[in-house]
Amino acid sequence: MPTLILVRHGRSTANTSGVLAGWTPGVSLDERGTAQAAALPGRLAGLPLSEVVASPLDRCQETVRPLLDARPGLPLHTDERIGECHYGDWSGRKLAELKDEPLMEVVQAHPSAAAFPGGESMRAMQTRAAEAVREWNARVERDHGADAVYLMCSHGDIIKSLVADALGLHLDLFQRISVEPCSVTAIRYTRLRPFLLRLGDTGDFASLAPREEPPTGDATVGGGAGAP
């Protein structure tokens, strides 16, 4: 079965402003995110990509654009199933405000029981994304062979849930996984089990340096902003 390259979108204006974007329209890459996207073709130059699949949201479409420009003829497919979690009434709100919501404790410690008001559950989010990957695996193998490599550009919580699925982790453990903006995660699927080959690889270790504000121990819903 194919190897899947998962790319989180580059840093967005919502990431830097501390807003939970969700499906809020008009959220684009910021200056750093644009530079991250521009560097993606070089980072992936050694990979014979057969297909590119992206979330319909602008920040993902913008992230893959330089890669598609560098590889004329590489097809782009848009799949809503790998779009961001539907955060419902939480969309567009500041993360600093949301941390005091009672639901946030559930999102952090028991996400399989978390359902966003006016949105979807985290369980449903993982299910739709995993179904999309399984369908694309079959399609890519059919059209390009079992050794094919293809790319999906998606969002932090989606990618974390797919990593958990590949590792056989319960969704309640997925908040222990971190993927930065424009990071590359690679999963090789086989008939019996997937293998996680890379996790959140940016090639930049700046985010590992101590921060002025110590970490809280909570996962950033939707994914963090990465290195400053």
Side-chain angles (χ1 to χ4, degrees):
M1 296 180 71
T3 296
L4 170 60
I5 307 300
L6 287 162
V7 176
R8 184 182 167 200
H9 61 78
R11 196 174 74 176
S12 72
T13 53
N15 293 144
T16 46
S17 59
V19 169
L20 184 62
W23 285 70
T24 304
V27 177
S28 299
L29 299 182
D30 68 5
E31 185 176 354
R32 181 182 178 88
T34 300
Q36 290 170 333
L40 195 59
R43 292 170 61 198
L44 301 178
L47 294 179
L49 297 175
S50 58
E51 309 272 359
V52 173
V53 187
S55 156
L57 296 173
D58 289 347
R59 51 197 185 274
C60 287
Q61 297 282 322
E62 292 171 5
T63 297
V64 298
R65 179 48 53 194
L67 177 64
L68 296 170
D69 289 344
R71 300 195 189 196
L74 182 62
L76 170 65
H77 310 274
T78 298
D79 194 326
E80 290 196 358
R81 295 173 297 175
I82 62 167
E84 182 63 283
C85 183
H86 291 277
Y87 296 116
D89 297 345
W90 279 28
S91 299
R93 293 181 60 188
K94 288 277 191 180
L95 289 165
E97 299 172 2
L98 293 171
K99 67 181 178 63
D100 295 324
E101 293 278 355
L103 178 59
M104 182 60 85
E105 186 177 12
V106 182
V107 170
Q108 293 293 328
H110 191 19
S112 65
F116 296 98
E120 71 179 331
S121 68
M122 302 199 90
R123 197 170 57 253
M125 172 200 75
Q126 182 187 44
T127 297
R128 63 172 164 87
E131 287 178 350
V133 166
R134 283 163 174 75
E135 288 183 19
W136 277 103
N137 281 348
R139 175 173 172 174
V140 169
E141 181 173 6
R142 181 197 68 204
D143 294 345
H144 303 283
D147 294 328
V149 181
Y150 75 106
L151 181 146
M152 279 187 171
C153 184
S154 187
H155 307 265
D157 280 350
I158 295 287
I159 294 173
K160 288 163 56 178
S161 76
L162 290 171
V163 170
D165 175 76
L167 292 177
L169 292 177
H170 196 283
L171 184 61
D172 286 345
L173 300 179
F174 101 125
Q175 296 291 28
R176 301 183 183 194
I177 299 166
S178 176
V179 290
E180 291 192 11
C182 224
S183 62
V184 172
T185 294
I187 302 171
R188 177 175 295 135
Y189 289 87
T190 73
R191 187 172 66 87
L192 297 180
R193 65 182 65 86
F195 292 89
L196 180 64
L197 307 179
R198 296 286 189 280
L199 176 60
D201 189 340
T202 64
D204 178 2
F205 298 105
S207 64
L208 303 180
R211 303 286 182 93
E212 291 183 6
E213 296 182 6
T216 64
D218 286 343
T220 303
V221 182

